[in-house]
């Protein structure tokens, strides 16, 4: 699905040059569940942002579905991102003034989808993640686990081919974290490609492959010794 070839990212100010990613070579195949791990500052979030087309590389190639998009314009990237990628954030990123159903429907408003179909998709995905009984509630009326369920629903309601998750259980207790990881595992079994940044070895155990980063380099790529059941 995507391939990174000698990809680098350098941030420059007048006085300082910081290399966040240095000659990254990596590939994610369709249907994989990848966990990216490494210490803080190793480049995980930068790499996830580039994969998610929220940032652009300084050098190298980024092939998405066979096409090099490294030099795409912001407009081209936004269109490609809208059609292909769903995001799950550690901090949920829900809009406090909108209900659960409205937060999820937001992900469909930029698509050419009739209102009746949007409502049907939202209802179906709320059932899927077990949050339908909270459809009319505001985010502030939900637990952290429920808010992340809404965030997962919002990420998948447009049927993206790629789901990017940035520390999806970072603000959750172990029980709710396990529930969210179970949902991601099930989505992967249904065919979604998932790339997840995590510090948690437990969460990484749900992935089919772990990519380890250190100082902007990929230092290892291997299957976990035991994938969570």
């Amino acid at each position: 699905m995507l391939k990174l070839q000698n990809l680098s990212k350098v941030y420059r100010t007048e006085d300082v040059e910081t290399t966040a990613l240095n000659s990254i070579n990596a590939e994610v195949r369709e249907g994989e569940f990848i966990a990216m791990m490494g210490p803080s500052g190793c480049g995980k979030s930068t790499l996830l942002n580039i994969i998610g087309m929220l940032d652009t590389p300084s050098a190298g190639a980024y092939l998405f579905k066979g096409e090099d998009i490294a030099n795409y314009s912001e407009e081209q990237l936004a269109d490609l991102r809208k059609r292909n990628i769903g995001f799950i954030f550690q901090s949920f990123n829900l809009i406090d003034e909108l209900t659960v159903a409205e937060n999820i429907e937001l992900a469909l408003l930029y698509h050419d989808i009739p209102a009746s179909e949007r409502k049907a998709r939202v209802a179906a995905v709320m059932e899927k993640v077990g949050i339908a009984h909270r459809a009319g509630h505001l985010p502030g009326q939900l637990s952290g686990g429920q808010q992340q369920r809404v965030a997962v629903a919002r990420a998948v309601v447009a049927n993206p081919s790629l789901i990017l998750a940035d520390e999806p259980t970072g603000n959750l207790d172990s029980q709710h974290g396990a529930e969210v990881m179970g949902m991601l595992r099930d989505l992967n079994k249904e065919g979604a490609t998932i790339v997840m940044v995590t510090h948690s070895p437990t969460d990484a155990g749900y992935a089919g492959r772990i990519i380890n980063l250190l100082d902007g380099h990929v230092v290892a790529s291997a299957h976990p010794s035991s994938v969570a059941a």
Side-chain angles (χ1 to χ4, degrees):
M1 170 175 279
L2 63 91
K3 183 180 292 188
L4 311 174
Q5 298 177 326
N6 296 317
L7 188 141
S8 297
K9 180 65 179 182
V10 179
Y11 294 100
R12 294 181 176 89
T13 66
E14 287 187 4
D15 304 315
V16 180
E17 180 175 287
T18 303
T19 300
L21 298 173
N22 192 350
S23 298
I24 295 287
N25 288 283
E27 184 174 357
V28 177
R29 293 177 290 276
E30 190 168 350
E32 277 199 291
F33 188 163
I34 303 291
M36 292 197 300
M37 301 190 73
S40 296
C42 71
K44 301 186 303 297
S45 294
T46 300
L47 184 55
L48 196 72
N49 285 340
I50 290 176
I51 291 172
M53 306 174 198
L54 299 172
D55 200 354
T56 55
S58 303
Y62 174 13
L63 278 68
F64 187 82
K65 297 186 175 181
E67 189 166 353
D68 188 358
I69 65 168
N71 295 312
Y72 269 27
S73 68
E74 287 295 330
E75 185 177 355
Q76 288 173 306
L77 290 173
D79 182 64
L80 197 60
R81 184 170 61 241
K82 175 183 71 177
R83 291 186 284 109
N84 291 279
I85 302 177
F87 294 89
I88 302 170
F89 303 97
Q90 176 179 347
S91 56
F92 316 138
N93 285 10
L94 303 178
I95 296 177
D96 292 338
E97 295 78 18
L98 298 182
T99 66
V100 165
E102 290 167 342
N103 266 282
I104 297 168
E105 189 178 3
L106 270 181
L108 298 174
L109 294 181
Y110 300 102
H111 298 261
D112 188 19
I113 298 173
S116 58
E117 183 180 340
R118 291 201 307 267
K119 301 297 184 186
R121 284 202 194 187
V122 170
V125 79
M126 286 192 299
E127 286 289 345
K128 185 174 187 176
V129 303
I131 203 70
H133 63 298
R134 299 292 194 192
H137 287 66
L138 299 173
Q141 298 172 304
L142 307 178
S143 69
Q146 290 171 332
Q147 289 188 59
Q148 194 62 300
R149 285 175 179 268
V150 177
V152 171
R154 181 187 57 196
V156 304
V157 68
N159 298 320
S161 55
L162 176 63
I163 297 172
L164 302 181
D166 190 0
E167 297 282 3
T169 68
N171 286 332
L172 303 177
D173 60 35
S174 57
Q175 177 184 341
H176 289 118
E179 291 173 358
V180 168
M181 290 309 304
M183 282 191 288
L184 292 179
R185 176 193 58 204
D186 292 343
L187 289 167
N188 177 245
K189 287 181 178 179
E190 293 169 8
T193 304
I194 300 175
V195 179
M196 172 183 68
V197 163
T198 183
H199 282 99
S200 166
T202 300
D203 290 357
Y206 286 81
R209 185 158 59 97
I210 298 173
I211 294 175
N212 286 286
L213 282 83
L214 181 65
D215 297 334
H217 296 274
V218 172
V219 294
S221 177
H223 299 281
S225 55
S226 61
V227 176

